[in-house]
Each structure stands twice: as structure tokens, then as C-alpha cells.
Amino acid sequence: MATLRAPGLPVVEDGELISTHPATGAEAGRVPVASPEDVGRAVDRARAAATWWAGLGFAGRRTRLLRWRALLARRISELADLVHREGGKPVAEAVVEIVSAIEHVDWAARNAKRVLGPRRVRSRLILVEHSAHLAYQPYGVVGVIGPWNYPVLTPIGSIGYALAAGNAVVFKPSEYTPVVGQWLVDSFAEIVPEHPVLTAVHGLGDVGAALCRAGTDKIAFTGSTATATRVMAACAETLTPVVIEAGGKDAMIVDADADLDAAAEACVWGALTNAGQTCIGIERAYVVSEVHDEFLARVVDRARRLTVGDTDADLGPITMPGQLDVIRRHITDAIARGARPVLGGPDAVQPPYVRPTILVDVPDDAAAVREETFGPTLTVTRVADVEEALARVNAVRYGLGGSVFGRRRAMEIAARIRSGMVAVNSALTFVGMSTLPFGGVGASGFGRIHGADGLREFARSKAVTRRRGPSPLPAMTFDRTPAQVARIVKLAQKVYGR
Ligand code: NDP
């Protein structure tokens, strides 16, 4: 029988990181812990591999990435089972996550050449004698630091795009999901056995910190806002560029002309999927007064029916034991400030599970409104109109995603939410749309993964001009004459002066 350990808490023993199921403590697997020297060596090996990988060109990489995508698709069930065994996520939710990740690998592989391939761009009148050429070159080695809550989709959102752009990747998975991380790396090595194009380094936060200082050419970080500031500080020492995908406090706005049943269904799923441990999870709903009571009743009715447990349940355990305290604190703090639980409450926290909790009358200064809860909780707030909803939605430091339910004004409301993404008449759907960029504003980070912007995030633009004839009006030379300067002034005034 497998040894049982403290549920969910990763343990380091004899140089190995042992990860456990958050509900049962059953060992999910073990991986070697990397020393700072190991991290440095991994980056050195990746640098050599990067040259080979970049040399394959778009076509060579596309073939291999599409083969990897096919392998992932063939093994969806195996990987979903592992995601469940390690992080506790219900298998059906893991399947949805993995399929979304596969779609991103597919799109990145198919579109890298179109988005990043070399091209001519137009010359302008001022330098008409030169042609202009643009290419996007890979950085070299990208360090990817990932979280545990979507251990397949979030790292692949960076890894897939970084690889398609021609980089090698050194991946530091979360200490809560290292086995899934190693599985991804091993599966890629089956398709690309020649060089360590994608490798993993394992350990606790210090291994991530070592990766930031190991000489990578870019760091793609997904995790909490607090860790993001440490990652940026470390990368600042060497001017290593970063893309930051950090926390969120996403909201749904429900307008008076919304389909209330669809809104309630999407809100319950958006708030409670993965037991609320979702960066783009709906943590707040702002509902215009005339439909508030009806919406709330439907949300409570749906959320009440969800099951919580380890297998075959809608909501699994809370993966990170420490998060249980945060969730409990947010609930009790809100109630102490006058909030009312209409479902769940402080007793809903029954480690390692939290039952759905819906709070109303939560004041704006409560942690449950201002800070990321990362649990199956939702605040529902009555607002006079959409203007009030927008003001309150936008009054937090985060700005990752969001959702709007309505008809006539829905697109206008979506544009005015301060965030990187919004789903209209659904929740969270933008994460699976590989043609769209993903990322936030404010404390939710900056830079983009997914889509064409996500490919460009992992490449440097290279601009080249090429002379194609003599200059009719020489400007960028000491050989120009005063008469030519006068003609340049005349021309500039004619072209720009009106
Ligand atoms: P953390 O910030 O705790 O950890 C993220 C990663 O950073 C882990 O691999 C962690 O390693 C590593 N790390 C820890 N300390 C350092 C350091 N000093 N330098 C470099 N790396 C370090 O986040 P969680 O894993 O708890 O993930 C949950 C958070 O991620 C939530 O805030 C969530 O909103 C956010 N998230 C954001 C997403 C987005 O796309 N915007 C998507 C998914 C999640 P270790 O685990 O070993 O400590």
C-alpha cells in the first residue's frame, strides 16, 4: 500500500520532492530536487538545444509540435488521471483543461510561421530608397514558472508558444504539481528525443528564484501577484524580460436584459469550477436591481446541488492546505463586516474541502471583495445600474478577466471593464480561444500568452532596412548640402505640416 503523508503538503526527502494527493495524502510521485548548480546546467544545456531547435525552422518545429499535440490527445485520460491524483481536480475538469491546452499547442504550431515569419513591410516616403524587412527571432532559452491550479493549461500556454517561436524552455512546475510537470516534459521528449529542448527543474520556490538568476533570456511567470513582484525584482538585476500572468478578482456583471438562467449557470460554473482555484474564476457578481433577487435565487439553487468530494464530485479538495485559512478568513471577515451567507459560510470550510459559499451585502472594503480568495466563494451585490456595477468592478487592483450577461449594452460594458479579457454571455471562454491573447492589467500582470500576441511575446522583433537605390534627398549623412537640408524642410512641411 502506498505511504500516506500529510495531505497535499509537498515533502523533500533524500533529495526528492514527493507530492501527495490533497485529500488522501497518497503519494502521487516523486522527482529530484534541483540545486542552483543543476538549474544553471539545465539552462546551459537548453541553450545548446535552442540553437538546434531554432535551426529546424518553422516547418520542422510545426511537424514536431503537431506530433506532440497528437500524443497528448491520445493520452488525455492518462494525464487527466494524474492531474486528479496529484492536485485533486475532478477528472472531468482535468479533461477540459487538457483539451484546451492541446488546442493551444495546435494553434501555436500552425500559426507561428504566419505570425513570426520574415516579411517585407512598407517603406515610407521619408526613406523611400530603402526597403524594410521584419523578422521575429526566438529569445533563446525561456524559463517558465508555473502554478499548480491548472498544471497543464497554464504552463502550456507559455511553453507551447515559446517552443513554436523557436525557443528552448526550462520549466519550473509548482511544488504542488511537479509530477504533472515532469509528465509533460517526458511526453515532449518522446517526440523530440534529440536534444533537451524542454526540460524541468524541480523544487520549492527557491528553485524558481534560481531560474530567474540562471541566465535565461526571458521568464514567463504564472502565479500569485506577491511572487510576481519577487520574480520581477530578481529579473531586474540582469534586465531579463518577463511576462507576468498573476492573480485576479474577476467579476460578472448581469444587466437587466440578461438571460438569467444562462447567467446563473455560467456564474456558478465560473465561480466554482476547480473549487474556485482559478485565476480567471468569477469571485464577484454585480447584478442590476430589477433582476438581482431572481438571479441570486437561481445561483443559490444551482450551487446548492453541487457535490463536493474526492471522486466523482463537482468540486474537489483545496489543493494547497494553506489556502484553506485564506478562504476561511475571507468568509469570516466579510460576515464580521455585515455580510450574510445565503449558502455555506464559515462552516463550509471542512479541510480539505470547502462547500460553495455565496455571500450578499459584502462591503467593498472586505477582503472577499478586494483580494483573491481562490476558493469556491462568490459575492453577489445589488447595483442600481450598469454604471455603478462598472465602478465597483473596476475598483480593485486586479484586472484579469470578467464576464457580462446582457443583450443591448453587453459589448459596451465588456469594453469598459478594466481587464485583459471578457466573456460576453458566458464565463472564462476566452482562455480556450487560441486565436485570442490572454493576460491582465494592474496587479494581474502584463504581457500576453495565447494567440498572435502570445507568439510575439516569445520572440524579438528584428528590423532590417536595405538600400535599394540612391537617396533623392540625402538626410542621414554628413554629405548633405545646405540646399538639400532646405529641401528636406520644405518637403517635411508639405507632407506633415497641414
Ligand atoms: P505562487 O506565486 O505561490 O507560485 C507560482 C510559481 O512560482 C510556483 O512554481 C512557485 O514555486 C514559484 N515560486 C515561488 N517563489 C518564487 C520565487 N521567489 N521566485 C521564482 N519563483 C517562485 O502561485 P501558486 O502556485 O499558488 O498559484 C496560484 C496563483 O497563480 C493565484 O494567484 C492565481 O491567480 C495565479 N494564476 C494566474 C494565472 C494567470 O494566467 N494569470 C493562471 C493560473 C494561476 P513553488 O510552488 O515551489 O513555491
Short mmCIF file of all heavy atoms in Angstrom, two decimals, residues 145-150 154 172-176 203-206 208-209 212 221-225 227-228 230-231 245-248 278-279 320 372 374 400 438 444 449, ligand 1:
data_model
loop_
_atom_site.label_atom_id
_atom_site.label_comp_id
_atom_site.label_asym_id
_atom_site.label_seq_id
_atom_site.Cartn_x
_atom_site.Cartn_y
_atom_site.Cartn_z
N ILE A 145 7.81 29.46 -15.26
CA ILE A 145 7.50 29.14 -13.87
C ILE A 145 5.98 29.03 -13.76
O ILE A 145 5.26 29.97 -14.10
CB ILE A 145 8.03 30.23 -12.92
CG1 ILE A 145 9.55 30.36 -13.08
CG2 ILE A 145 7.66 29.91 -11.47
CD1 ILE A 145 10.17 31.49 -12.29
N GLY A 146 5.50 27.87 -13.31
CA GLY A 146 4.06 27.62 -13.39
C GLY A 146 3.40 27.42 -12.04
O GLY A 146 4.06 27.09 -11.05
N PRO A 147 2.09 27.60 -11.98
CA PRO A 147 1.32 27.36 -10.76
C PRO A 147 0.76 25.95 -10.74
O PRO A 147 0.94 25.19 -11.69
CB PRO A 147 0.20 28.39 -10.87
CG PRO A 147 -0.11 28.40 -12.33
CD PRO A 147 1.19 28.09 -13.05
N TRP A 148 0.04 25.61 -9.69
CA TRP A 148 -0.48 24.26 -9.53
C TRP A 148 -1.94 24.13 -9.96
O TRP A 148 -2.43 23.04 -10.16
CB TRP A 148 -0.38 23.84 -8.05
CG TRP A 148 -0.91 24.90 -7.13
CD1 TRP A 148 -0.16 25.88 -6.53
CD2 TRP A 148 -2.26 25.16 -6.77
NE1 TRP A 148 -0.97 26.73 -5.81
CE2 TRP A 148 -2.27 26.31 -5.93
CE3 TRP A 148 -3.48 24.55 -7.06
CZ2 TRP A 148 -3.44 26.85 -5.40
CZ3 TRP A 148 -4.65 25.08 -6.53
CH2 TRP A 148 -4.62 26.22 -5.70
N ASN A 149 -2.66 25.25 -10.07
CA ASN A 149 -4.12 25.13 -10.19
C ASN A 149 -4.57 24.62 -11.55
O ASN A 149 -5.58 23.95 -11.67
CB ASN A 149 -4.81 26.45 -9.82
CG ASN A 149 -4.39 27.60 -10.71
OD1 ASN A 149 -3.31 27.60 -11.29
ND2 ASN A 149 -5.24 28.58 -10.82
N TYR A 150 -3.83 24.97 -12.60
CA TYR A 150 -4.06 24.39 -13.93
C TYR A 150 -2.70 23.91 -14.41
O TYR A 150 -2.05 24.56 -15.23
CB TYR A 150 -4.70 25.41 -14.88
CG TYR A 150 -6.15 25.65 -14.53
CD1 TYR A 150 -6.50 26.52 -13.50
CD2 TYR A 150 -7.17 24.94 -15.17
CE1 TYR A 150 -7.83 26.69 -13.13
CE2 TYR A 150 -8.50 25.10 -14.80
CZ TYR A 150 -8.82 25.98 -13.79
OH TYR A 150 -10.13 26.13 -13.41
N THR A 154 -1.88 26.15 -17.87
CA THR A 154 -1.13 27.40 -17.69
C THR A 154 0.32 27.28 -18.16
O THR A 154 0.78 28.16 -18.89
CB THR A 154 -1.20 27.96 -16.26
OG1 THR A 154 -0.83 26.96 -15.36
CG2 THR A 154 -2.58 28.46 -15.92
N LYS A 172 9.91 25.27 -14.51
CA LYS A 172 9.84 25.00 -13.07
C LYS A 172 8.36 24.86 -12.70
O LYS A 172 7.66 25.85 -12.56
CB LYS A 172 10.49 26.16 -12.30
CG LYS A 172 10.00 26.37 -10.86
CD LYS A 172 10.38 25.26 -9.92
CE LYS A 172 9.92 25.58 -8.50
NZ LYS A 172 8.48 25.36 -8.26
N PRO A 173 7.88 23.62 -12.55
CA PRO A 173 6.48 23.45 -12.15
C PRO A 173 6.31 23.81 -10.67
O PRO A 173 7.29 23.84 -9.91
CB PRO A 173 6.22 21.96 -12.36
CG PRO A 173 7.44 21.39 -12.98
CD PRO A 173 8.56 22.34 -12.72
N SER A 174 5.08 24.03 -10.26
CA SER A 174 4.80 24.27 -8.84
C SER A 174 5.20 23.06 -8.02
O SER A 174 5.11 21.92 -8.48
CB SER A 174 3.31 24.54 -8.65
OG SER A 174 2.97 24.44 -7.28
N GLU A 175 5.62 23.30 -6.79
CA GLU A 175 5.98 22.18 -5.90
C GLU A 175 4.76 21.29 -5.60
O GLU A 175 4.92 20.18 -5.14
CB GLU A 175 6.55 22.72 -4.60
CG GLU A 175 5.54 23.45 -3.74
CD GLU A 175 6.17 24.37 -2.70
OE1 GLU A 175 7.06 25.15 -3.08
OE2 GLU A 175 5.76 24.31 -1.54
N TYR A 176 3.54 21.80 -5.87
CA TYR A 176 2.33 21.00 -5.64
C TYR A 176 1.99 20.10 -6.82
O TYR A 176 1.18 19.19 -6.68
CB TYR A 176 1.14 21.92 -5.33
CG TYR A 176 1.29 22.62 -4.00
CD1 TYR A 176 1.88 23.87 -3.92
CD2 TYR A 176 0.89 22.00 -2.82
CE1 TYR A 176 2.06 24.50 -2.69
CE2 TYR A 176 1.07 22.61 -1.60
CZ TYR A 176 1.65 23.86 -1.54
OH TYR A 176 1.83 24.47 -0.33
N GLY A 203 11.56 21.66 -7.40
CA GLY A 203 11.89 22.04 -6.04
C GLY A 203 10.87 23.05 -5.53
O GLY A 203 9.78 23.19 -6.09
N LEU A 204 11.25 23.75 -4.48
CA LEU A 204 10.36 24.73 -3.87
C LEU A 204 10.59 26.08 -4.55
O LEU A 204 11.24 26.17 -5.59
CB LEU A 204 10.59 24.78 -2.36
CG LEU A 204 10.58 23.41 -1.65
CD1 LEU A 204 10.70 23.59 -0.14
CD2 LEU A 204 9.33 22.61 -1.99
N GLY A 205 10.11 27.13 -3.91
CA GLY A 205 10.22 28.46 -4.52
C GLY A 205 11.64 28.88 -4.84
O GLY A 205 11.88 29.62 -5.80
N ASP A 206 12.60 28.39 -4.03
CA ASP A 206 13.99 28.81 -4.26
C ASP A 206 14.50 28.34 -5.62
O ASP A 206 15.40 28.96 -6.20
CB ASP A 206 14.91 28.30 -3.13
CG ASP A 206 14.86 26.79 -3.01
OD1 ASP A 206 13.74 26.25 -3.02
OD2 ASP A 206 15.92 26.16 -2.94
N GLY A 208 12.63 28.24 -8.33
CA GLY A 208 12.11 29.26 -9.25
C GLY A 208 12.98 30.51 -9.19
O GLY A 208 13.32 31.11 -10.23
N ALA A 209 13.37 30.87 -7.97
CA ALA A 209 14.22 32.06 -7.80
C ALA A 209 15.57 31.84 -8.51
O ALA A 209 16.10 32.75 -9.16
CB ALA A 209 14.43 32.35 -6.32
N CYS A 212 15.30 32.37 -12.17
CA CYS A 212 15.27 33.80 -12.56
C CYS A 212 16.69 34.36 -12.69
O CYS A 212 16.90 35.36 -13.37
CB CYS A 212 14.52 34.62 -11.51
SG CYS A 212 12.78 34.23 -11.41
N PHE A 221 6.24 33.95 -16.15
CA PHE A 221 5.79 33.58 -14.81
C PHE A 221 4.28 33.55 -14.75
O PHE A 221 3.60 34.49 -15.16
CB PHE A 221 6.31 34.59 -13.78
CG PHE A 221 5.73 34.37 -12.40
CD1 PHE A 221 6.25 33.40 -11.57
CD2 PHE A 221 4.64 35.11 -11.97
CE1 PHE A 221 5.68 33.16 -10.31
CE2 PHE A 221 4.06 34.88 -10.72
CZ PHE A 221 4.60 33.91 -9.89
N THR A 222 3.72 32.48 -14.21
CA THR A 222 2.29 32.43 -13.88
C THR A 222 2.18 32.03 -12.42
O THR A 222 2.71 30.99 -12.01
CB THR A 222 1.55 31.39 -14.74
OG1 THR A 222 1.84 31.65 -16.12
CG2 THR A 222 0.05 31.50 -14.54
N GLY A 223 1.54 32.86 -11.63
CA GLY A 223 1.40 32.58 -10.21
C GLY A 223 0.82 33.79 -9.52
O GLY A 223 0.18 34.64 -10.15
N SER A 224 1.06 33.88 -8.22
CA SER A 224 0.42 34.95 -7.45
C SER A 224 1.11 36.30 -7.69
O SER A 224 2.28 36.36 -8.10
CB SER A 224 0.47 34.60 -5.97
OG SER A 224 1.82 34.57 -5.55
N THR A 225 0.38 37.35 -7.40
CA THR A 225 0.92 38.70 -7.57
C THR A 225 2.12 38.92 -6.64
O THR A 225 3.10 39.56 -7.01
CB THR A 225 -0.20 39.72 -7.30
OG1 THR A 225 -1.29 39.42 -8.19
CG2 THR A 225 0.26 41.15 -7.52
N THR A 227 4.36 36.70 -5.53
CA THR A 227 5.56 36.07 -6.07
C THR A 227 6.01 36.80 -7.33
O THR A 227 7.22 36.92 -7.59
CB THR A 227 5.30 34.58 -6.37
OG1 THR A 227 4.74 33.97 -5.22
CG2 THR A 227 6.59 33.86 -6.72
N ALA A 228 5.06 37.31 -8.10
CA ALA A 228 5.42 38.02 -9.34
C ALA A 228 6.34 39.20 -9.04
O ALA A 228 7.29 39.46 -9.79
CB ALA A 228 4.15 38.51 -10.05
N ARG A 230 8.50 39.38 -6.66
CA ARG A 230 9.84 38.83 -6.37
C ARG A 230 10.53 38.39 -7.66
O ARG A 230 11.73 38.59 -7.84
CB ARG A 230 9.73 37.66 -5.38
CG ARG A 230 9.36 38.10 -3.97
CD ARG A 230 9.64 37.00 -2.96
NE ARG A 230 8.60 36.00 -2.94
CZ ARG A 230 7.45 36.13 -2.27
NH1 ARG A 230 7.20 37.21 -1.58
NH2 ARG A 230 6.56 35.17 -2.31
N VAL A 231 9.76 37.80 -8.56
CA VAL A 231 10.33 37.37 -9.84
C VAL A 231 10.84 38.58 -10.62
O VAL A 231 11.96 38.58 -11.15
CB VAL A 231 9.26 36.59 -10.65
CG1 VAL A 231 9.67 36.43 -12.10
CG2 VAL A 231 9.02 35.23 -10.01
N GLU A 245 1.77 36.59 -15.57
CA GLU A 245 0.35 36.20 -15.51
C GLU A 245 0.03 35.96 -14.05
O GLU A 245 0.37 34.91 -13.50
CB GLU A 245 0.11 34.92 -16.33
CG GLU A 245 0.48 35.03 -17.79
CD GLU A 245 -0.44 35.94 -18.59
OE1 GLU A 245 -1.49 36.33 -18.07
OE2 GLU A 245 -0.07 36.29 -19.72
N ALA A 246 -0.56 36.94 -13.38
CA ALA A 246 -0.72 36.86 -11.93
C ALA A 246 -2.19 36.70 -11.54
O ALA A 246 -3.03 36.31 -12.35
CB ALA A 246 -0.09 38.08 -11.29
N GLY A 247 -2.48 37.02 -10.30
CA GLY A 247 -3.80 36.72 -9.75
C GLY A 247 -4.92 37.58 -10.31
O GLY A 247 -4.69 38.50 -11.10
N GLY A 248 -6.13 37.27 -9.86
CA GLY A 248 -7.29 38.02 -10.34
C GLY A 248 -8.38 38.13 -9.29
O GLY A 248 -8.30 37.50 -8.22
N THR A 278 -9.14 29.21 -9.52
CA THR A 278 -9.00 29.57 -10.93
C THR A 278 -8.65 31.04 -11.01
O THR A 278 -9.36 31.88 -10.45
CB THR A 278 -10.34 29.31 -11.67
OG1 THR A 278 -10.71 27.94 -11.47
CG2 THR A 278 -10.23 29.61 -13.15
N CYS A 279 -7.54 31.37 -11.68
CA CYS A 279 -7.12 32.78 -11.74
C CYS A 279 -8.20 33.65 -12.35
O CYS A 279 -8.42 34.78 -11.92
CB CYS A 279 -5.81 32.91 -12.52
SG CYS A 279 -5.86 32.20 -14.16
N MET A 320 -3.94 23.38 -2.02
CA MET A 320 -2.86 23.88 -1.17
C MET A 320 -3.42 24.06 0.24
O MET A 320 -4.28 24.93 0.46
CB MET A 320 -2.40 25.22 -1.73
CG MET A 320 -1.01 25.60 -1.35
SD MET A 320 -0.41 26.99 -2.33
CE MET A 320 -1.65 28.23 -2.11
N GLU A 372 -7.82 38.27 -3.79
CA GLU A 372 -8.12 36.98 -4.41
C GLU A 372 -8.42 35.95 -3.31
O GLU A 372 -7.59 35.74 -2.42
CB GLU A 372 -6.90 36.54 -5.23
CG GLU A 372 -7.16 35.35 -6.10
CD GLU A 372 -5.95 35.00 -6.97
OE1 GLU A 372 -4.83 34.98 -6.44
OE2 GLU A 372 -6.13 34.75 -8.17
N PHE A 374 -9.58 32.61 -4.04
CA PHE A 374 -9.11 31.34 -4.59
C PHE A 374 -9.78 30.14 -3.92
O PHE A 374 -9.14 29.15 -3.58
CB PHE A 374 -7.58 31.25 -4.46
CG PHE A 374 -6.92 30.87 -5.76
CD1 PHE A 374 -7.17 31.59 -6.91
CD2 PHE A 374 -6.04 29.79 -5.83
CE1 PHE A 374 -6.58 31.25 -8.11
CE2 PHE A 374 -5.44 29.44 -7.03
CZ PHE A 374 -5.71 30.18 -8.16
N LEU A 400 -7.88 40.91 -14.48
CA LEU A 400 -7.51 39.79 -15.35
C LEU A 400 -8.61 39.54 -16.41
O LEU A 400 -8.44 39.90 -17.56
CB LEU A 400 -7.26 38.55 -14.49
CG LEU A 400 -6.55 37.37 -15.16
CD1 LEU A 400 -5.27 37.79 -15.83
CD2 LEU A 400 -6.27 36.27 -14.14
N PHE A 438 -4.15 36.29 -24.03
CA PHE A 438 -4.56 36.07 -22.63
C PHE A 438 -3.59 36.81 -21.72
O PHE A 438 -2.38 36.66 -21.83
CB PHE A 438 -4.52 34.57 -22.33
CG PHE A 438 -4.99 34.21 -20.94
CD1 PHE A 438 -6.28 33.77 -20.73
CD2 PHE A 438 -4.13 34.31 -19.86
CE1 PHE A 438 -6.71 33.44 -19.45
CE2 PHE A 438 -4.56 33.98 -18.58
CZ PHE A 438 -5.86 33.54 -18.38
N SER A 444 -2.78 42.08 -11.97
CA SER A 444 -2.90 40.78 -12.65
C SER A 444 -1.76 40.53 -13.64
O SER A 444 -1.68 39.46 -14.23
CB SER A 444 -4.24 40.69 -13.39
OG SER A 444 -5.30 40.68 -12.45
N ILE A 449 0.04 35.78 -23.24
CA ILE A 449 0.25 34.46 -23.81
C ILE A 449 -0.96 34.20 -24.73
O ILE A 449 -1.89 34.99 -24.74
CB ILE A 449 0.41 33.37 -22.72
CG1 ILE A 449 -0.79 33.34 -21.79
CG2 ILE A 449 1.68 33.62 -21.93
CD1 ILE A 449 -0.77 32.19 -20.77
P1 NDP B 1 2.80 31.11 -6.41
O1 NDP B 1 3.06 32.52 -6.73
O2 NDP B 1 2.88 30.70 -4.99
O3 NDP B 1 3.80 30.16 -7.20
C1 NDP B 1 3.93 30.20 -8.61
C2 NDP B 1 5.24 29.56 -9.01
O4 NDP B 1 6.32 30.40 -8.58
C3 NDP B 1 5.49 28.21 -8.36
O5 NDP B 1 6.14 27.36 -9.28
C4 NDP B 1 6.39 28.57 -7.22
O6 NDP B 1 7.14 27.50 -6.76
C5 NDP B 1 7.26 29.63 -7.85
N1 NDP B 1 7.96 30.50 -6.91
C6 NDP B 1 7.75 30.67 -5.58
N2 NDP B 1 8.61 31.60 -5.09
C7 NDP B 1 9.38 32.00 -6.12
C8 NDP B 1 10.44 32.96 -6.25
N3 NDP B 1 10.86 33.68 -5.23
N4 NDP B 1 10.99 33.13 -7.46
C9 NDP B 1 10.55 32.43 -8.54
N5 NDP B 1 9.55 31.52 -8.47
C10 NDP B 1 8.98 31.31 -7.28
O7 NDP B 1 1.37 30.79 -7.04
P2 NDP B 1 0.54 29.46 -6.91
O8 NDP B 1 1.34 28.31 -7.42
O9 NDP B 1 -0.04 29.38 -5.54
O10 NDP B 1 -0.63 29.70 -7.97
C11 NDP B 1 -1.80 30.38 -7.66
C12 NDP B 1 -1.73 31.80 -8.17
O11 NDP B 1 -1.48 31.78 -9.56
C13 NDP B 1 -3.04 32.55 -7.99
O12 NDP B 1 -2.76 33.86 -7.56
C14 NDP B 1 -3.60 32.56 -9.40
O13 NDP B 1 -4.48 33.62 -9.63
C15 NDP B 1 -2.37 32.66 -10.23
N6 NDP B 1 -2.62 32.19 -11.57
C16 NDP B 1 -2.62 33.10 -12.58
C17 NDP B 1 -2.92 32.70 -13.86
C18 NDP B 1 -2.89 33.66 -14.99
O14 NDP B 1 -2.80 33.21 -16.12
N7 NDP B 1 -2.94 34.96 -14.77
C19 NDP B 1 -3.27 31.31 -14.18
C20 NDP B 1 -3.22 30.43 -13.04
C21 NDP B 1 -2.90 30.89 -11.79
P3 NDP B 1 6.59 26.65 -5.51
O15 NDP B 1 5.22 26.17 -5.87
O16 NDP B 1 7.57 25.57 -5.42
O17 NDP B 1 6.56 27.59 -4.32
#
